[in-house]
Amino acid sequence: MRQSQVTYWCHEILRSQVSAGGCYIDATMGKGNDTLMLCRLAGEAGKVLAFDIQKEALQMTERLLLEHGVRERAELILDGHEHMERYAGKESADAICFNFGYLPGGDHRIATSAESSMEAVRKGLEILKRGGMMSLCLYSGGDTGFEEKRKILELLKELPAREYTVIVNSYYNRENCPPTPVFVFKDP
Ligand SMILES: C[S@@+](CC[C@H](N)C(=O)[O-])C[C@H]1O[C@@H](n2cnc3c(N)ncnc32)[C@H](O)[C@@H]1O
């Protein structure tokens, strides 16, 4: 993974802030790279819940986890992340990872959308433990448009500073709508 890649930074920050043995959520499973990172972070005592609405994503992720010998650490859930409260209780997750958009190499029309993503982020913040963190890779432009990123950033700006720290990063010198890595820390 290149050091300039958005997923690289999200993984680095998650690994540096979250310890093993807890509960972790991959809200957008896709090809399973984030699920794999969370399974490794979880260690043998931890568990990962991973969501996607496409069977193809579950199949690819299952193969990847099997290849790396960590399949038993994850529950792969064919459901939208906007329903994550059906699978995880309030303040039960140490980390939640969102990587919005469409499945790379898949159908670009099947992608995350502003309304359901906002609902999922709101629910995720309730599910996050105090002291836990959320990472979000936000995309814009092209098939994705700008609405989802704009609305999620608006939502995060309204979070009370006494309870959350929100850090929005930018690829400052990059043209053509670069991704935006965002980290939300829920204060202990
Ligand atoms: C950019 S990909 C995720 C990349 C992935 N984390 C990886 O490591 O390869 C976005 C994924 O979000 C999924 N998705 C779209 N809407 C969703 C929803 N409501 N709930 C959960 N996943 C959704 C898409 O099917 C797609 O696989």
Side-chain angles (χ1 to χ4, degrees):
M1 199 187 290
R2 277 170 47 227
Q3 284 187 13
S4 59
Q5 233 179 314
V6 66
T7 43
Y8 172 86
W9 285 111
C10 290
H11 289 188
E12 282 290 296
I13 302 293
L14 280 161
R15 276 195 292 258
S16 72
Q17 299 295 317
V18 180
S19 42
C23 170
Y24 314 87
I25 296 180
D26 182 359
T28 46
M29 194 184 321
K31 291 183 164 181
N33 298 302
D34 297 322
T35 310
L36 175 62
M37 182 277 298
L38 291 174
C39 284
R40 286 173 163 159
L41 181 61
E44 285 185 4
K47 68 165 185 174
V48 176
L49 302 179
F51 294 86
D52 207 290
I53 52 171
Q54 298 191 67
K55 253 198 189 141
E56 200 187 340
L58 268 76
Q59 287 162 353
M60 285 193 282
T61 301
E62 172 141 52
R63 275 201 298 275
L64 187 69
L65 300 186
L66 283 169
E67 249 173 60
H68 288 84
V70 293
R71 174 65 187 90
E72 74 290 349
R73 296 182 192 175
E75 189 181 336
L76 307 184
I77 300 166
L78 184 63
D79 199 353
H81 45 211
E82 62 275 21
H83 303 135
M84 66 169 85
E85 84 288 359
R86 296 179 186 166
Y87 306 88
K90 277 194 178 174
E91 300 197 348
S92 64
D94 296 81
I96 304 180
C97 180
F98 283 92
N99 192 343
F100 296 99
Y102 46 79
L103 187 63
D107 184 343
H108 291 200
R109 290 167 303 181
I110 309 174
T112 54
S113 68
E115 289 310 317
S116 52
S117 296
M118 283 179 25
E119 195 179 339
V121 171
R122 277 197 206 96
K123 288 182 175 170
L125 291 169
E126 290 191 2
I127 288 169
L128 205 56
K129 278 183 191 167
R130 292 181 187 279
M133 74 167 287
M134 181 182 281
S135 82
L136 307 95
C137 292
L138 299 174
Y139 302 93
S140 60
D143 291 336
T144 306
F146 294 89
E147 195 198 5
E148 182 181 50
K149 178 173 168 176
R150 183 176 56 77
K151 288 197 160 175
I152 291 173
L153 289 175
E154 277 172 13
L155 184 162
L156 296 178
K157 196 165 179 58
E158 296 304 315
L159 293 180
R162 269 175 286 103
E163 284 177 67
Y164 297 96
T165 302
V166 181
I167 299 179
V168 178
N169 305 267
S170 76
Y171 283 85
Y172 196 48
N173 66 342
R174 205 184 272 184
E175 292 178 338
N176 300 326
C177 309
T180 302
V182 176
F183 304 108
V184 179
F185 298 91
K186 190 170 184 175
D187 292 344

